[in-house]
Every structure is written in C-alpha cells, then in structure tokens.
Amino acid sequence: MSGTSAALTPPADAVAPVRHPDAPAPGELLGAHYEHCFGCGGAQPHGLHLEARAGEGVKITAEFTVRPVHQGAPGLAHGGVLATALDETLGSLNWLLRTIAVTGRLETDFRRPVPVDTVLYLEAEVTAVAGRKIYCTATGRIGGPEGPVAVRADALFVEVKVDHFIDNGRPEEIQAAMNDPDQIRRARAFEVNP
C-alpha cells in the first residue's frame, strides 16, 4: 500500500481479520443488502447493480458493467462512479466479518480509463482490524479478473450500531426497511455502508 495516507495505515496493535463462522460460503452471491442501494440494489434503474461474491478468508469478488448512464467523459466511466463501485465492493467485506460498518475514509487511484460497456472485475480484502476500525483494500481490473488494474482503493471502515442509520436516515426508508417481513432482508438492509 505504498503512497497510502497515515489515516489508512493500521496501527501497530491492529490484528489480522477473522472471517465470521456464519459468513456466506466462498462463491456465494451476496445479493443486494437493500433494494434501493445505488451500488447493489435492483430498484435503482441507474444504479451500478454490482454483484459481489464471498471469497476465501476475508476476500470478496464483484463485477460491475459500465453502462452509458455511468459515463463522465464521452464513452468513459465517470470517476465518481468507479469510486462508488470500489466503495460498494469494500463495504461488502463487512458481511464476512458479520459487522455493521460505514465508510470512514476512501482513497482511490485511477490508473487507466474504463470505457462504457466494460466489465470491471473487482476484488477486495480486509487487511487489519483495530477496535472499531476495519482496514481494507480493493482493485478493479478490465479485460478479465487477471487484466490490468484500472482503479484501486484503500479504505477505512468504522463499526457502528444500527442506531447510526435510524438516527441519520430518512424516517420513511428506515421504517420501510424495518417493516420488511423477510427477517434476513430486514437485517441485511443495515449490514453495509449507506
């Protein structure tokens, strides 16, 4: 992680991350944590519709297809959309730890342009945990899972209680998520960064 800011460097007392015993099995599709999430939700017509899968240990993989609605410069993905894809992928790591956490800091490096209609192959892993702080890194490749790196990010997530969402979200969406009769979907709505 050369060039990483001090805020994203784990402290000396950080520990190696541990995959929760109830985490999704390697290869399992994680699905949307909330149907209206811009990153992974199916109810967002212009959203990323990012699909993440649990990997081995504390890693996940994901795919995102850049559509014309995601462009910035003509024919190229908007940098903010690419940062969102990295953030969504990094946030999905929390399912492997079985913790609720939000993005505290995200540093993104843009290495090469990502054309419209390109599939971005993402991989992320948790590198360390220090108290409520979760340190992680991700890469996005084009041309296949082993293709050249187009974007990469280092991030710090901070563990929060569900009250974080209840106290800060819009009441109508919070109530709709809380009233979902599907207990698993209801719990998952609050499992990943907002």
Side-chain angles (χ1 to χ4, degrees):
M1 295 193 315
S2 63
T4 299
S5 71
L8 293 176
T9 302
D13 62 348
V15 297
V18 177
R19 184 189 186 101
H20 193 280
D22 296 329
E28 184 177 333
L29 185 64
L30 298 179
H33 73 91
Y34 178 56
E35 66 182 25
H36 296 287
C37 174
F38 180 78
C40 65
Q44 289 288 349
H46 300 302
L48 306 187
H49 303 157
L50 188 135
E51 293 188 347
R53 292 188 181 277
E56 298 290 336
V58 285
K59 294 182 181 182
I60 66 154
T61 59
E63 292 183 10
F64 155 58
T65 301
V66 178
R67 296 182 290 142
V69 296
H70 301 136
Q71 68 188 309
L76 298 175
H78 189 287
V81 169
L82 296 174
T84 300
L86 288 162
D87 184 48
E88 184 69 27
T89 303
L90 289 157
S92 296
L93 287 165
N94 296 314
W95 291 11
L96 302 181
L97 302 177
R98 294 297 297 256
T99 190
I100 301 170
V102 296
T103 311
R105 186 174 185 100
L106 177 71
E107 290 186 10
T108 307
D109 297 315
F110 301 93
R111 301 252 174 109
R112 63 181 63 226
V114 179
V116 169
D117 295 326
T118 296
V119 176
L120 189 64
Y121 297 88
L122 298 137
E123 184 175 72
E125 72 175 307
V126 179
T127 57
V129 176
R132 294 176 44 223
K133 294 180 177 181
I134 301 164
Y135 296 85
C136 42
T137 187
T139 56
R141 298 173 182 271
I142 57 176
E146 304 300 321
V149 173
V151 292
R152 64 167 309 283
D154 293 310
L156 169 64
F157 279 73
V158 180
E159 185 178 350
V160 297
K161 302 293 183 207
V162 75
D163 291 351
H164 167 85
F165 302 97
I166 295 168
D167 294 345
N168 296 293
R170 284 196 332 172
E172 53 268 35
E173 279 92 356
I174 297 296
Q175 198 57 52
M178 299 285 275
N179 290 340
D180 192 322
D182 183 327
Q183 289 185 3
I184 293 173
R185 265 201 337 239
R186 181 170 59 231
R188 289 175 78 178
F190 301 101
E191 282 186 346
V192 188
N193 61 309

